[in-house]
Amino acid sequence: MKTLAELRPVYVVGIGLHPYQRPSEKNYVLLGLTAVREALADAGIAWPAVQSAYVGNVLVGMAAGTAMLRYLGATGLSIAQVENASASGSTAFRQAVIEVAGGFSDVALAMGVDKPGPIASGPGKAGVRGLVDDRVVPFTHFALLTQLYMEQHGATPEQIAKVAVKNHRNGALNPYAQRQQERTLEEVMEPPAVSGVLTRLQCTPVGEGAAAVIVMSEEGIARHGIEKSRAIQVVASAARSEELSGTLNFDVALTEKTTHDAYRQCGLGPSDFDVVELHDAFTIEELLYVEAMGFSLPGEAVRDLEAGAFDIGGRVAISPSGGLIAMGHPIGPTGVGQVAEVTRQLRQEAGPRQHPGARVGLTHMVGVGPVCVVHILQRPG
Amino acid sequence: MSAEMTGLWSVDSGTARLNGIRCSSCGLVLFPPQLYGCPACGAGPGELIPAALPAAGRLHSFAVVNLHPSHPTPYTILEVELDSGPLVRALAASNFDPRINDRVEGHEAQVDGTPQLVFERARVPLA
């Protein structure tokens, strides 16, 4: 298997978003076009320059991407829609990166767009049912993990809720975030708990939105006169699916393996990172994943969190966008939005939520399957 | 048997057992049952043998659920590591105040008018 280090260098040269928000009457086409036009303007290119597009989408449905992108001009480019549960946007980005790295295109778009709606679920149709499947919605799955973490590491509900305090503080600085309001620990912990010790503000709001990034080869950058200092290199791309992990949570096991695959691809390790956008759909996930990724020793994530290690300006800023908890999780766009945030941070263009001197960043999504997708981005020079 | 199996547990002489499967190729024990193939070694349906798994194990985790779109709340979900290996999720008996690492056992009970396999603290501590 090849890695990006053996292929053509790939750079993110344009980013754009439609703010994540509560479901509205706005059509998905308008959400998506807003993000793509912003990404084109950011790159300083016109739509006909884009040779290929990957559209992450779960809920809108068949051919959502082509029915939207035609309004930028039906140029005949290759378009494919990508569904990979919560990692759909991340996978769309990976496909665009692979296509440019492999030399098939010099300019590719990765985007995601979604609106809440009914989910047609493969696992639900597989005919394999446990005793209580329909009673265990996602927040209960993560409440089970929270209880186990508290038992194993002596963590308290207050300590776990502090993840949401930090991420709401970051989201309050992000004009694209669905939740742009700082929250005190008391507000985050306000009863009722929805399941276990998890309260509403410790769970991601699933809304609507769109995110887009444009990736280019060095040939593309030269051809389109892209300012090299704002081009952020993608130095690792890793994706995995389930391996049986016994009683160890599958997302944790998968995160550890996928992240370390990515580390090996580019020769970077946990101490090299400045910013990380990870799948914090529920507070407990941030703690579990920073340990699996090696940013904290096992059981010490709450101590590091309380010491400010994961704040903007701390040792490594975790979810400076506000993460899934505050920026939101519109499903299809989420992984692409993470790439946009890390790119903005590495360009030093994140304004009030800028992590000082950010040079290396990581994006991470898990999804139903389970699947996991990790990318590492680096500012050249 | 069809690929879609119903009947997830059986009660014989008052003792409940989960209707699991064992892979005769690699030994993996699985619940819930299916006859598609072994997720550990890839062995085909012919290698998947029905296995009655004692409804007994160790409490791995639990959550009291206060919000659900269709089921009356609250109810408590348990994650039980069966003595035979699989990690299964089940309802707690209504009077069970769970603690992680409790020895637990399952029995059939009526929940919201339908029979369910529910778990509670084992009456006789097992080895």
Side-chain angles (χ1 to χ4, degrees):
Chain A
M1 285 168 66
K2 285 197 185 299
T3 66
L4 290 182
E6 302 164 78
L7 299 167
R8 298 201 306 172
V10 181
Y11 301 83
V12 178
V13 301
I15 59 175
L17 294 120
H18 184 289
Y20 299 174
Q21 60 192 26
R22 295 165 74 102
S24 73
E25 295 302 308
K26 198 165 186 177
N27 194 283
Y28 88 89
V29 175
L30 288 173
L31 301 174
L33 294 179
T34 301
V36 179
R37 287 186 170 123
E38 188 172 291
L40 292 168
D42 180 53
I45 61 169
W47 174 243
V50 177
Q51 298 164 315
S52 180
Y54 291 92
V55 182
N57 176 266
V58 176
L59 300 168
V60 177
M62 183 184 81
T66 43
M68 165 183 57
L69 294 174
R70 69 190 299 271
Y71 299 109
L72 295 166
T75 63
L77 82 166
S78 161
I79 301 175
Q81 190 155 314
V82 177
E83 189 281 304
N84 205 12
S86 288
S88 295
S90 309
T91 307
F93 178 69
R94 175 171 156 83
Q95 293 308 120
V97 166
I98 288 171
E99 178 157 331
V100 171
F104 292 88
S105 293
D106 287 316
V107 183
L109 167 73
M111 69 163 301
V113 61
D114 245 322
K115 287 178 75 78
I119 300 175
S121 162
K125 294 177 179 172
V128 182
R129 314 247 168 182
L131 295 168
V132 290
D133 292 0
D134 67 322
R135 289 177 179 268
V136 183
V137 298
F139 57 65
T140 293
H141 169 75
F142 288 101
L144 290 162
L145 292 179
T146 306
Q147 194 68 40
L148 181 63
Y149 188 90
M150 291 194 299
E151 172 79 16
Q152 289 177 330
H153 301 301
T156 66
E158 289 77 12
Q159 288 177 312
I160 287 162
K162 286 178 181 175
V163 170
V165 175
K166 169 180 70 71
N167 293 353
H168 279 85
R169 187 163 63 233
N170 294 350
L173 302 172
N174 183 356
Y176 298 103
Q178 182 165 340
R179 290 173 170 166
Q180 295 183 35
Q181 190 180 347
E182 281 201 51
R183 296 289 190 170
T184 64
L185 183 58
E186 291 67 31
E187 287 174 308
V188 168
M189 296 201 66
E190 188 172 288
V194 292
S195 192
V197 302
L198 290 180
T199 52
R200 186 181 64 87
L201 290 178
Q202 297 186 64
C203 307
T204 182
V206 174
E208 64 182 26
V213 304
I214 291 163
V215 294
M216 286 194 189
S217 63
E218 289 181 342
E219 290 85 341
I221 284 175
R223 189 188 315 146
H224 295 289
I226 303 295
E227 193 185 321
K228 199 76 195 280
S229 67
R230 292 181 75 244
I232 301 299
Q233 190 174 358
V234 187
V235 295
S237 175
R240 299 188 68 88
S241 65
E242 176 185 23
E243 293 170 80
L244 301 188
S245 58
T247 57
L248 176 63
N249 171 254
F250 47 82
D251 285 328
V252 173
L254 195 45
T255 291
E256 179 169 1
K257 273 207 162 183
T258 311
T259 305
H260 286 79
D261 275 1
Y263 292 162
R264 272 191 296 277
Q265 289 178 20
C266 60
L268 297 170
S271 62
D272 295 313
F273 287 86
D274 302 297
V275 292
V276 171
E277 289 283 322
L278 55 73
H279 182 279
D280 61 328
F282 301 88
T283 42
I284 187 63
E285 289 188 273
E286 178 164 317
L287 302 172
L288 291 169
Y289 301 149
V290 294
E291 292 177 9
M293 291 173 176
F295 297 117
S296 288
L297 295 171
E300 295 196 0
V302 288
R303 190 183 313 171
D304 290 341
L305 173 75
E306 289 183 313
F310 304 142
D311 290 350
I312 293 167
R315 172 155 55 83
V316 50
I318 306 288
S319 296
S321 71
L324 277 63
I325 285 177
M327 184 168 175
H329 182 25
I331 315 291
T334 312
V336 180
Q338 291 182 328
V339 173
E341 176 67 15
V342 167
T343 299
R344 204 183 300 279
Q345 291 280 345
L346 302 190
R347 286 170 164 179
Q348 320 298 309
E349 295 177 355
R353 65 179 191 285
Q354 178 65 47
H355 181 74
R359 284 195 64 249
V360 182
L362 182 148
T363 64
H364 158 272
M365 285 293 282
V366 291
V368 169
V371 295
C372 182
V373 181
V374 170
H375 286 95
I376 296 174
L377 288 81
Q378 186 168 19
R379 189 179 74 205
Chain B
M1 272 185 288
S2 69
E4 182 166 1
M5 298 173 71
T6 49
L8 291 174
W9 71 91
S10 313
V11 181
D12 183 22
S13 308
T15 302
R17 286 188 168 77
L18 292 150
N19 297 330
I21 55 168
R22 181 187 303 275
C23 175
S24 64
S25 180
C26 74
L28 181 75
V29 177
L30 272 178
F31 182 89
Q34 48 81 19
L35 293 177
Y36 293 134
C38 176
C41 74
E47 306 293 324
L48 302 179
I49 311 301
L53 312 177
R58 185 187 64 83
L59 188 64
H60 186 68
S61 193
F62 65 92
V64 179
V65 179
N66 292 312
L67 185 67
H68 192 279
S70 56
H71 289 290
T73 57
Y75 57 84
T76 300
I77 295 293
L78 306 179
E79 221 168 34
V80 177
E81 184 183 4
L82 296 178
D83 293 337
S84 52
L87 191 64
V88 302
R89 287 170 173 176
L91 281 168
S94 55
N95 59 348
F96 178 36
D97 177 23
R99 265 173 254 130
I100 287 175
N101 291 324
D102 278 347
R103 287 288 317 173
V104 293
E105 60 188 16
H107 64 267
E108 192 173 279
Q110 293 290 317
V111 178
D112 303 335
T114 55
Q116 291 279 357
L117 186 65
V118 302
F119 282 74
E120 63 185 316
R121 193 168 292 113
R123 273 158 287 183
V124 181
L126 303 172

